[in-house]
């Protein structure tokens, strides 16, 4: 009896592994720090790139925090939470993923020291949350006055792209197409992200990247004899097969003589001609189909001067519907004018081995494509990621209507503000608030390191200039960096990106700190 009482009650199966208390915390903090360290060297314009090789041998060369963390095979649950920080950041504001991951890791590293000096995790968590509030105040103070004009938005786009694995590419050549793409589709209600597409095509310098109205599809008309250029074309999109119906009637054909054979052929011809006639009678000049079009129908359409595309993917059909205003039709019967769209301009062009069709719906529809050029697949892939970020930050800046100094300028202001308030906080929570400021300092310090500046000197100079002028950053131009005014240098980030980075990093770090028991099952 006595023996039974002493035995601990076992509620977990033997397959479970359990780490508790300080061990659990240690392991979580170490995993979190490791993730942050894995992207540290990529921060900022002079950040290095990473080459990611998948198990199937695919190579990605990138500097994008979210991409790196996504492609890495991360198993540790706490580390996985940091990856989620980057993902949230990417989804919410589209940029600042490296910043958020580094900050989360640094908050954990600082917490580790506080735990070592016996600060209770709840005190750290409270301190961090209070500090995050102070950080938001500091960001609000840093918001620049004035309108977000095209120049400002281009600066924002540029800052988000500098240092992406674009080599010697001049990003200012890309900032302008990004901003004009966003401006073209922007309405009073904001920007629908779906209205901006990216189409990549190798074979030219990235400076040839441009905004084109409408959509680009890598498709060729169904017949060589069809026009390669169209203007003001009435457009239909269908997803029904234009071929001989293989109904029951067919099976009953019992062809025994030439007459019957001729009849059968005629019936088929009638049916096919019927399709072409219906299309022509509906006034359609341009037909997109997600299905097959019988060769004979293609020929008849071509004779009528109608341009047709067959076997389009569903996503292309959706884009074309958006761009031309046409409704996707399941049948050719009872086509109404309202179902048809317009293509102001269509042109088929050849790029090396690829044929592309450019379709512009005209003034009625606002739909643009960034036609991204680059020398190789690796270049256009990384450009696509950089441009996606840039589009997002321009939208974020437009949405919140506010931008802040980049190049570590906002971070140094946050650290200063948080540290300034820590002194007035009673008790040991003060230590946690100070630790938060130290963690934020790590961002400009990393920028300095990645630029080849001495991080300690740079931080001292940066603080001195911030104290003297209220605004300072580690402006990187050409090969090196120096302490200067980020606004003068045109290095601006959306305030929303900074806010989200503070929010998601604090959230992840405090969540990890609250865990003191890790139970993992093997299955
Ligand atoms: P993230 O994933 O956090 O966006 P990035 O590698 O894109 O990481 O780096 C972003 C940081 O680089 C921002 O703080 C931004 O202000 C800064 N930055 C951008 N351009 C410059 C520049 N020319 N000089 C210094 N800092 C810059
Ligand atoms: Mg960025």
């Amino acid at each position: 009896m006595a023996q039974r009482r002493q035995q601990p009650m076992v509620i977990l199966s033997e397959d479970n592994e359990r780490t508790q208390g300080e061990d659990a915390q240690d392991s979580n903090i170490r995993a979190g720090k490791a993730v942050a360290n894995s992207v540290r060297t990529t921060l900022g314009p002079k950040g290095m790139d990473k080459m990611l090789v998948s198990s199937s041998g695919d190579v990605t060369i990138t500097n994008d925090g979210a991409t790196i963390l996504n492609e890495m095979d991360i198993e540790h649950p706490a580390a996985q939470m940091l990856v989620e920080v980057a993902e949230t950041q990417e989804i919410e504001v589209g940029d600042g993923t490296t910043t958020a991951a580094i900050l989360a890791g640094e908050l954990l590293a600082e917490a580790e020291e506080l735990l070592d000096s016996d600060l209770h995790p709840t005190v750290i968590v409270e301190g961090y949350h209070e500090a995050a509030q102070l950080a938001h105040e500091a960001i609000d103070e840093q918001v620049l006055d004035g309108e977000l004009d095209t120049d400002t938005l281009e600066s924002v786009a540029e800052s988000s792209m500098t240092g992406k694995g674009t080599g010697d590419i001049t990003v200012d050549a890309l900032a302008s197409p990004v901003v004009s793409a966003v401006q073209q589709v922007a309405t009073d209600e904001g920007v629908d992200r779906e209205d901006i597409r990216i189409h990549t095509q190798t074979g030219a310098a990235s400076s040839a990247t441009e905004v084109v109205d409408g959509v680009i599809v890598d498709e060729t008309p169904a017949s060589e004899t069809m026009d390669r250029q169209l203007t003001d074309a009435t457009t239909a999109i269908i997803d029904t097969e234009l071929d001989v119906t293989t109904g029951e009637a067919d099976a009953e054909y019992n062809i025994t003589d030439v007459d019957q054979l001729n009849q059968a052929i005629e019936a088929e011809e009638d049916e096919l001609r019927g399709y072409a006639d219906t299309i022509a009678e509906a006034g359609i000049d341009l037909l997109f189909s997600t299905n097959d079009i019988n060769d004979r129908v293609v020929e008849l359409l071509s004779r009528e001067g109608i341009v047709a595309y067959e076997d389009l993917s569903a996503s292309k059909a959706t884009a074309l519907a958006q761009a031309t205003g046409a409704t996707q039709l399941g049948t050719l019967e009872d086509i109404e004018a309202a179902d048809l769209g317009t293509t102001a301009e269509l042109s088929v062009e050849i790029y090396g081995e690829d044929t592309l069709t450019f379709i512009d719906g005209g003034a009625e529809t606002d739909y643009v494509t960034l036609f991204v050029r680059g020398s190789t697949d690796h270049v256009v892939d990384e450009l696509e990621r950089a441009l996606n970020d840039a589009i997002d930050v321009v939208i974020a800046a437009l949405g919140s209507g506010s931008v802040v100094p980049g190049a570590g300028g906002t971070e140094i202001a946050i650290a200063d503000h948080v540290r300034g308030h820590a002194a007035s906080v009673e008790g040991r929570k003060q230590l946690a608030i100070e630790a938060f400021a130290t963690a934020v300092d790590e961002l400009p310090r990393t920028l300095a390191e990645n630029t080849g500046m001495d991080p300690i000197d740079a931080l001292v100079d940066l603080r001195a200039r911030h104290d003297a002028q209220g605004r300072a950053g580690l402006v990187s131009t050409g090969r090196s960096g120096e302490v200067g005014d980020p606004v003068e240098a045109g290095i601006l980030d959306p305030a929303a990106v900074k806010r989200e980075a503070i929010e998601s990093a604090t959230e992840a770090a405090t969540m990890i700190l609250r865990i003191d028991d890790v139970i993992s099952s093997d299955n």
Side-chain angles (χ1 to χ4, degrees):
M1 242 1 225
Q3 211 193 355
R4 175 132 51 103
R5 239 179 285 136
Q6 273 165 8
Q7 211 127 52
M9 181 152 51
V10 179
I11 57 165
L12 295 171
S13 89
E14 281 176 16
D15 284 345
N16 288 296
E17 232 178 83
R18 186 166 187 181
T19 340
Q20 275 174 293
E22 281 177 22
D23 282 347
Q25 242 151 18
D26 273 358
S27 142
N28 284 341
I29 288 175
R30 256 186 290 120
K33 276 163 58 179
V35 170
N37 279 331
S38 69
V39 291
R40 185 179 295 269
T41 56
T42 70
L43 182 75
K46 295 281 176 297
M48 304 299 279
D49 297 338
K50 297 218 180 275
M51 183 188 256
L52 307 165
V53 185
S54 77
S55 49
S56 59
D58 288 339
V59 175
T60 307
I61 299 169
T62 187
N63 170 294
D64 189 65
T67 308
I68 296 168
L69 294 175
N70 248 325
E71 303 269 317
M72 281 176 14
D73 202 2
I74 291 171
E75 273 186 8
H76 195 286
Q80 193 58 46
M81 283 171 73
L82 248 70
V83 176
E84 280 164 25
V85 170
E87 279 170 8
T88 315
Q89 183 80 23
E90 181 76 21
I91 293 165
E92 294 296 324
V93 284
D95 195 23
T97 49
T98 315
T99 302
I102 293 177
L103 182 57
E106 232 21 73
L107 288 172
L108 288 173
E110 289 298 319
E112 191 176 29
E113 283 180 28
L114 295 175
L115 289 169
D116 283 347
S117 45
D118 282 338
L119 223 68
H120 195 272
T122 25
V123 177
I124 304 176
V125 167
E126 267 176 43
Y128 277 6
H129 279 302
E130 202 166 317
Q133 276 325 106
L134 293 166
H136 283 298
E137 287 174 20
I139 293 170
D140 290 343
E141 264 169 44
Q142 289 293 309
V143 169
L144 303 185
D145 295 334
E147 282 265 303
L148 289 184
D149 54 15
T150 302
D151 276 354
T152 312
L153 291 174
E154 283 182 7
S155 296
V156 170
E158 224 174 286
S159 321
S160 89
M161 285 186 288
T162 6
K164 293 293 165 220
T166 45
D168 293 326
I169 290 152
T170 44
V171 273
D172 38 323
L174 298 175
S176 157
V178 165
V179 172
S180 72
V182 175
Q183 283 172 336
Q184 274 184 55
V185 300
T187 63
D188 290 345
E189 279 102 65
V191 178
D192 185 352
R193 187 64 174 77
E194 298 284 303
D195 288 346
I196 307 173
R197 299 222 160 197
I198 290 185
H199 191 101
T200 58
Q201 180 67 43
T202 56
S206 61
S207 55
T209 296
E210 56 179 338
V211 188
V212 292
D213 292 330
V215 286
I216 303 172
V217 288
D218 47 347
E219 295 287 346
T220 322
S223 156
E224 284 284 323
T225 56
M226 286 173 173
D227 283 343
R228 273 10 198 191
Q229 304 278 340
L230 276 182
T231 46
D232 291 325
T234 302
T235 309
I237 303 172
I238 58 165
D239 58 6
T240 177
E241 198 179 6
L242 301 184
D243 206 341
V244 183
T245 15
T246 44
E248 284 160 48
D250 276 352
E252 308 243 323
Y253 275 151
N254 190 0
I255 298 160
T256 48
D257 59 45
V258 178
D259 268 0
Q260 267 181 324
L261 182 61
N262 281 341
Q263 258 175 24
I265 292 173
E266 239 167 74
E268 281 192 11
E269 169 73 11
D270 282 352
E271 187 179 2
L272 298 176
R273 194 174 279 276
Y275 294 135
D277 288 347
T278 311
I279 291 164
E281 276 156 25
I284 295 165
D285 307 309
L286 175 60
L287 179 76
F288 294 111
S289 174
T290 52
N291 227 309
D292 265 345
I293 305 178
N294 179 295
D295 287 348
R296 176 70 182 144
V297 179
V298 169
E299 193 188 325
L300 292 167
L301 290 175
S302 172
R303 275 197 219 158
E304 294 277 350
I306 297 167
V307 178
Y309 287 77
E310 60 181 338
D311 294 323
L312 298 171
S313 67
S315 70
K316 283 177 190 166
T318 308
L320 290 165
Q322 258 170 294
T324 62
T327 318
Q328 299 189 48
L329 300 170
T331 163
L332 280 187
E333 278 163 46
D334 304 325
I335 297 178
E336 288 177 24
D339 297 328
L340 304 175
T342 20
T343 297
E345 217 178 311
L346 171 141
S347 69
V348 181
E349 277 160 48
I350 292 170
Y351 288 86
E353 290 174 0
D354 303 309
T355 306
L356 302 181
T357 298
F358 293 71
I359 298 117
D360 175 11
E364 300 295 303
T365 48
D366 285 319
Y367 201 86
V368 296
T369 301
L370 271 171
F371 187 40
V372 179
R373 308 304 309 275
S375 48
T376 68
D377 282 336
H378 288 309
V379 171
V380 290
D381 285 354
E382 177 71 346
L383 273 175
E384 183 172 1
R385 281 187 286 273
L387 287 166
N388 266 318
D389 280 5
I391 293 167
D392 288 337
V393 297
V394 172
I395 294 174
L398 265 182
S400 68
S402 50
V403 295
V404 292
T410 297
E411 286 81 352
I412 211 70
I414 293 172
D416 187 56
H417 186 69
V418 172
R419 200 171 277 122
H421 273 70
S424 64
V425 175
E426 301 277 319
R428 309 187 79 184
K429 194 163 70 180
Q430 186 188 87
L431 298 175
I433 297 178
E434 269 166 8
F436 188 98
T438 312
V440 175
D441 271 342
E442 195 60 26
L443 293 164
R445 180 200 293 269
T446 307
L447 265 183
E449 237 165 47
N450 291 351
T451 318
M453 297 167 87
D454 179 274
I456 296 173
D457 290 348
L459 217 60
V460 169
D461 291 351
L462 186 61
R463 277 208 199 102
R465 185 169 166 135
H466 174 81
D467 289 346
Q469 313 197 350
R471 199 158 73 199
L474 296 169
V475 177
S476 148
T477 44
R479 302 222 157 269
S480 64
E482 55 175 28
V483 174
D485 184 344
V487 179
E488 255 168 47
I491 305 162
L492 305 173
D493 294 324
V497 170
K498 301 293 179 201
R499 290 194 188 107
E500 183 62 36
I502 293 285
E503 212 46 42
S504 53
T506 308
E507 216 29 68
T510 54
M511 209 184 279
I512 291 174
L513 286 173
R514 280 205 202 91
I515 300 166
D516 75 341
D517 198 353
V518 177
I519 306 158
S520 39
S521 67
D522 271 349
N523 43 46

